[in-house]
Amino acid sequence: MTMQKPLIIPLRGHTPKIGKNCFIAPNATIIGDVEIGDNCSIWFGAVLRGDVNSIHIGNNCNIQDGAVLHTTFERSTIEMGNNVSVGHNATIHGAVIKDDVLIGMGSTVLDNAVVESNVIVAANALITSGTQTEPNSIYAGVPAKKIKELSPEKKADTITRIADNYHLYASWYDEIDK
């Protein structure tokens, strides 16, 4: 069985760049000024709209089903570090997401926010525009507030485990096109 191809659209002189060993789901959409690192996965129904400004994604990241990444024209970009998991139906709009971060399912990170390294943003949380989180923390609520420190054990059991699992899940799809 051969899978259909994802929708990858060059726009305004920018063609999306996708690193090595990436899985892009057949109905994912990637438009314009988007750069994706190595060993990433972009899942079913995810939309990365680099039509009005740039989106840069590091290595070993996963953008899960239904997530939307977008920016603001001439005002904000997305800069994402390594080992980031963006949960199902999450929205990131013009923010900086540093290394080793979990953006929980259904959560929203707005323009010019900075999510520091080793942070969990809980499901359905709202990181408002201009917010800068503290590293090694867990944020929850609307608007999101720091609820506790992130222990090394919790980081390993959540952030690292999820990123590793999504790399494994993506490898299962390699078998389909062979």
Side-chain angles (χ1 to χ4, degrees):
M1 176 177 153
T2 300
M3 286 195 300
Q4 69 185 39
K5 299 294 181 198
L7 185 58
I8 298 175
I9 302 172
L11 189 67
R12 298 179 59 224
H14 299 282
T15 299
K17 295 178 180 81
I18 299 169
K20 297 179 211 147
N21 197 33
C22 290
F23 167 70
I24 311 295
N27 65 345
T29 302
I30 304 171
I31 302 169
D33 193 359
V34 176
E35 189 169 335
I36 299 169
D38 297 336
N39 303 310
C40 292
S41 55
I42 312 300
W43 290 87
F44 299 92
V47 177
L48 284 63
R49 276 185 52 205
D51 53 354
V52 300
N53 221 328
S54 63
I55 297 172
H56 295 112
I57 297 172
N59 299 318
N60 303 310
C61 295
N62 62 87
I63 312 301
Q64 298 172 19
D65 311 68
V68 175
L69 277 61
H70 196 233
T71 61
T72 299
F73 184 61
E74 299 180 341
R75 301 193 93 170
S76 66
T77 63
I78 292 176
E79 298 295 330
M80 186 177 294
N82 301 315
N83 301 312
V84 174
S85 296
V86 178
H88 308 290
N89 295 314
T91 300
I92 298 175
H93 203 279
V96 173
I97 312 294
K98 297 206 176 167
D99 296 338
D100 299 303
V101 170
L102 169 61
I103 304 295
M105 292 184 280
S107 60
T108 302
V109 182
L110 294 176
D111 289 292
N112 303 308
V114 176
V115 178
E116 292 290 342
S117 294
N118 303 312
V119 168
I120 294 174
V121 176
N124 295 312
L126 171 63
I127 303 289
T128 57
S129 293
T131 297
Q132 181 158 355
T133 68
E134 294 178 32
N136 306 304
S137 301
I138 299 174
Y139 281 75
V142 178
K145 304 278 188 234
K146 179 180 174 181
I147 59 169
K148 63 181 170 179
E149 294 289 318
L150 179 66
S151 69
E153 297 79 24
K154 183 72 171 171
K155 177 190 174 198
D157 184 52
T158 306
I159 295 175
T160 304
R161 179 183 53 82
I162 290 171
D164 290 347
N165 283 353
Y166 268 85
H167 188 65
L168 171 66
Y169 306 156
S171 74
W172 297 341
Y173 289 85
D174 290 342
E175 301 170 13
I176 292 175
D177 281 331
K178 294 183 178 158

